[in-house]
Amino acid sequence: MKGVILAGGKGTRLAPMTSIMNKHLLPIGKYPMIHYGIERLAEAGVKDILLLISKQSAGLYCDYVGSGDQFGVRITFRVQEDADGIAGALGLAEGFVQPQDKFVLLLGDNLFDDSLGAYLAAFARQEKGAKVLLKQVDDPRRFGVPELEGDKIKLIEEKPSKPKSSYCVTGIYMYDGTVFEKIRSIRPSRRGELEITDVNNLYAAEGSLTYEILQGWWTDAGTFASLLDASNYLQGKERNGR
């Protein structure tokens, strides 16, 4: 299974730091943020990884990640010219991911403890469709919230005022090769972006969007508060030798 990590975007919530450096290169614990996503994929046996980056800091990405040898993987870079949403960025992976492939997509600012191996193995056995990983949170109204129906997701609502569950959709997704057709079929939202929730809801409408629930620590390190929390947590793990 191949892997795709989205590491572009403007990182406006972390300005002004992101005016001089892409947010996925900001330090968390001992490493730049991007290190952790590559490491998680490598641990799960994903050897071919596409990094979707912006032009900002492209040289720094090459300096740090290189060919991927230090992680035991093969890295391919592609540049996202426009910030047109997660689904818009994912469309750039077509070609790297072939129609017959299944693959895993990570948002580069999502940090987590769980090993991905068992989740990827379960998706490999899934005949078709997509799988997303969920996490139980205190305030699901800040996230995309799934309406669950057995072992599948019926619908995902973005930032609902009355959430239908206490779970949020994390930035860990698994797709089959039909995802690119679905991206081409959606239209930009009011934000002018191609929304990944719209893509996921197309799978949900087909009855082929499954889910599993992360058991360990998870955060979206896209704000100053979550960036600090993530750094403190990971430094604590390093001090304890975990």
Side-chain angles (χ1 to χ4, degrees):
M1 195 175 295
K2 292 181 177 179
V4 178
I5 301 178
L6 299 193
K10 295 180 179 178
T12 52
R13 291 182 297 171
L14 288 170
M17 291 195 299
T18 48
S19 65
I20 57 172
M21 179 182 292
N22 183 276
K23 75 173 179 179
H24 300 91
L25 291 168
L26 295 174
I28 297 183
K30 289 173 62 175
Y31 303 107
M33 189 187 299
I34 191 63
H35 180 102
Y36 298 97
I38 299 172
E39 186 176 62
R40 278 286 172 264
L41 291 180
E43 288 172 353
V46 178
K47 299 302 182 185
D48 286 308
I49 300 173
L50 174 65
L51 281 189
L52 290 167
I53 62 174
S54 59
K55 287 185 287 189
Q56 183 192 36
S57 305
L60 293 177
Y61 274 112
C62 291
D63 287 342
Y64 185 76
V65 177
S67 67
D69 278 353
Q70 63 172 309
F71 298 95
V73 301
R74 293 176 292 273
I75 295 289
T76 301
F77 292 97
R78 286 189 183 168
V79 173
Q80 179 186 4
E81 295 282 355
D82 301 307
D84 56 354
I86 294 171
L90 178 55
L92 299 174
E94 189 170 19
F96 174 80
V97 176
Q98 299 301 318
Q100 70 275 12
D101 290 338
K102 290 181 176 180
F103 69 100
V104 54
L105 167 68
L106 300 184
L107 303 189
D109 59 3
N110 273 231
L111 306 173
F112 51 94
D113 270 343
D114 287 44
S115 170
L116 291 176
Y119 302 123
L120 297 184
F123 182 58
R125 294 190 296 270
Q126 185 173 320
E127 183 178 353
K128 64 178 181 178
K131 180 186 289 290
V132 296
L133 299 188
L134 310 179
K135 181 65 180 175
Q136 194 163 27
V137 292
D138 293 333
D139 187 6
R141 291 174 298 179
R142 298 192 298 114
F143 302 95
V145 177
E147 181 180 350
L148 306 180
E149 192 171 65
D151 62 350
K152 295 182 179 177
I153 292 175
K154 183 178 180 180
L155 183 73
I156 298 171
E157 293 182 277
E158 277 298 318
K159 300 179 176 62
S161 58
K162 296 181 179 180
K164 291 186 170 64
S165 73
S166 61
Y167 296 98
C168 75
V169 178
T170 71
I172 309 168
Y173 315 90
M174 295 159 232
Y175 295 111
D176 65 13
T178 68
V179 69
F180 301 109
E181 297 171 13
K182 290 176 170 62
I183 292 171
R184 284 190 285 271
S185 75
I186 64 174
R187 296 292 178 263
S189 66
R190 285 179 292 181
R191 299 193 301 171
E193 297 184 353
L194 296 176
E195 306 288 353
I196 200 66
T197 295
D198 291 341
V199 173
N200 290 335
N201 278 334
L202 290 176
Y203 281 106
E206 294 176 350
S208 64
L209 180 59
T210 65
Y211 69 91
E212 294 199 49
I213 299 169
L214 289 173
Q215 300 302 309
W217 172 81
W218 166 85
T219 192
D220 168 0
T223 67
F224 286 108
S226 60
L227 192 72
L228 178 60
D229 288 344
S231 188
N232 289 337
Y233 177 81
L234 292 168
Q235 285 178 334
K237 285 183 66 175
E238 291 157 8
R239 284 194 300 269
N240 294 325
R242 292 188 289 136

